[in-house]
Amino acid sequence: MKTNFKYMAFAALAVFSSCTKQLDITPEGSPSAQNFWKTKEDAIKAEAGMYENYNAEDFYGRGMFWFINASDDMVTGRNKPEADNIKNFNRTYVGGGYTESQWSMRYAIIKRANDIINNVPKITMDESLKNRLLVMLISMQVWFIFSWPQIMATIKLVCRL
């Protein structure tokens, strides 16, 4: 009992004698609009982050090929209601796991490209690197503006070229 009292007294002393003054620290963790877009490293990281969705299997892989099911180039070969809805151009079909992610992945890339195009010009950095990043990103937007409506009949793009 005496030992427990010593431990509790020590814990109470440690708690009540701890710091009360707020620490002034730089925010760490996830970047925000306030602590990002400051250096050339931020611009390069943002550009690399734009390509994140390219690694997803659905981007140009398994998810994308289900759109081919709406042509004569693919036969499902089994009972697959989701694939049949795509094949039969069912306008009320959302897409489930096959095609639903196609929109969000491409919009994420367009949004990230817009953010970079809007913020990189404000960063003090090597002009040739800045121009290379901006040309690459504008080219990326043009690619999506050109290719995506060919796959989906209508798409609403929010781009600042």
Side-chain angles (χ1 to χ4, degrees), residues 1 28 31 40 47 62-63 79 90 102 123 146 160-161:
M1 180 71 174
E28 295 181 14
K40 84 172 186 181
E47 184 238 349
R62 192 165 179 85
N79 186 11
N90 184 347
Q102 298 297 312
I123 297 175
F146 172 74
R160 294 177 186 95
L161 295 178

Side-chain angles (χ1 to χ4, degrees), residues 53 104 145:
N53 285 326
S104 61
I145 291 168

Side-chain angles (χ1 to χ4, degrees), residues 23-115:
L23 297 176
D24 185 23
I25 59 172
T26 305
E28 295 181 14
S30 298
S32 67
Q34 289 77 29
N35 65 5
F36 201 67
W37 307 114
K38 306 272 189 236
T39 65
K40 84 172 186 181
E41 286 77 21
D42 291 340
I44 292 170
K45 286 177 187 175
E47 184 238 349
M50 190 186 69
Y51 293 104
E52 173 194 11
N53 285 326
Y54 278 91
N55 287 333
E57 180 185 1
D58 288 346
F59 195 79
Y60 278 123
R62 192 165 179 85
M64 187 67 158
F65 87 84
W66 284 108
F67 288 112
I68 300 170
N69 199 32
S71 72
D72 293 337
D73 295 336
M74 179 178 159
V75 176
T76 307
R78 62 184 182 267
N79 186 11
K80 233 16 183 165
E82 297 93 344
D84 289 339
N85 280 318
I86 296 168
K87 179 184 72 174
N88 297 327
F89 299 99
N90 184 347
R91 295 176 69 87
T92 60
Y93 176 64
V94 175
Y98 292 141
T99 58
E100 189 174 16
S101 63
Q102 298 297 312
W103 292 95
S104 61
M105 286 189 291
R106 282 161 175 76
Y107 273 125
I109 290 173
I110 292 169
K111 197 256 188 239
R112 289 175 186 177
N114 282 337
D115 289 344

